[in-house]
Amino acid sequence: MDTTFERELAAVRRMPADRVAADFRLSHRGRPVDPALDVPDAAARVADALEALWTELLAPDWPRLRALLERDVVRRAGRLAVYGWLEVFGRLGIDMELKEERILLGKVGGASHRLGGVGVVLMPNAFGATYVYLDPPRAYGLTYPAHGVAALWERGSPAADGLVALLGRGRAAVLTALDSPASTSQLVA
């Protein structure tokens, strides 16, 4: 949860051209890659587009998005501690099956991946989509719809004047958007 957009953007900009080209070929599954992306500076072009999208679409709502995502992580960590990983995976809103010490994600056939101690990073998603990310042998990830995401886009009543005076308009709006803070870091955020 300590990742920043700037750090992620810098990682995109540092991607070697051959790795970017290979990733595009993989994601296009045999279809031709758009000529605008089939260039040596594709990483910079993608990073520039991501930065523009972030600035125009996500940055204004980021405090609310971050609070919702952090709340989901805290909630699921608590469920993991009390009920175990089967409960957590079972409630991610994805197709999952346990079969002989294996976790099968999704009903679509595909290659198997042995984690080999790397683990799977679970990432809440504020936009309702579920994706599996594979970057063997370095990383595996799974996004899932964050709990409470529907309320994110509802505009509630403005925060009480006293709360605004105490915390400022932005912090008061984030605090009132939460049913109740799940942690002290959510209060700080």
Side-chain angles (χ1 to χ4, degrees):
M1 291 194 308
D2 64 346
T3 298
T4 65
F5 177 75
E6 293 76 18
R7 223 178 325 176
E8 293 294 312
L9 194 60
V12 171
R13 289 189 192 284
R14 286 192 309 269
M15 291 288 291
D18 59 334
R19 171 72 190 271
V20 173
D23 285 351
F24 281 145
R25 284 192 304 275
L26 178 65
S27 67
H28 280 72
R29 297 181 183 150
R31 296 182 316 263
V33 175
D34 187 296
L37 297 175
D38 196 10
V39 294
D41 67 340
R45 287 185 183 196
V46 169
D48 290 345
L50 289 171
E51 187 171 26
L53 287 169
W54 169 263
T55 301
E56 294 299 319
L57 300 177
L58 294 174
D61 289 317
W62 181 240
R64 292 181 70 200
L65 285 164
R66 184 178 179 104
L68 177 109
L69 298 173
E70 285 182 357
R71 182 176 176 81
D72 184 87
V73 169
V74 169
R75 179 177 181 270
R76 291 191 197 273
R79 295 191 75 77
L80 176 64
V82 174
Y83 300 109
W85 64 269
L86 183 58
E87 166 73 15
V88 172
F89 269 87
R91 291 184 178 260
L92 291 179
I94 61 167
D95 294 325
M96 185 191 100
E97 179 183 347
L98 290 176
K99 187 175 184 179
E100 302 173 11
E101 298 182 12
R102 290 185 187 189
I103 300 172
L104 304 175
L105 301 173
K107 296 189 186 235
V108 178
S112 294
H113 299 275
R114 184 173 302 279
L115 299 180
V118 174
V120 175
V121 176
L122 301 177
M123 300 168 280
N125 183 328
F127 303 104
T130 301
Y131 298 102
V132 175
Y133 293 92
L134 304 171
D135 189 13
R138 293 177 290 276
Y140 300 91
L142 173 68
T143 68
Y144 59 88
H147 180 77
V149 75
L152 180 67
W153 307 112
E154 297 172 0
R155 296 286 183 203
S157 61
D161 289 338
L163 196 54
V164 170
L166 180 64
L167 300 175
R169 184 168 311 284
R171 288 185 182 97
V174 170
L175 187 60
T176 57
L178 301 172
D179 291 332
S180 60
S183 68
T184 54
S185 65
Q186 278 194 337
L187 284 171
V188 171

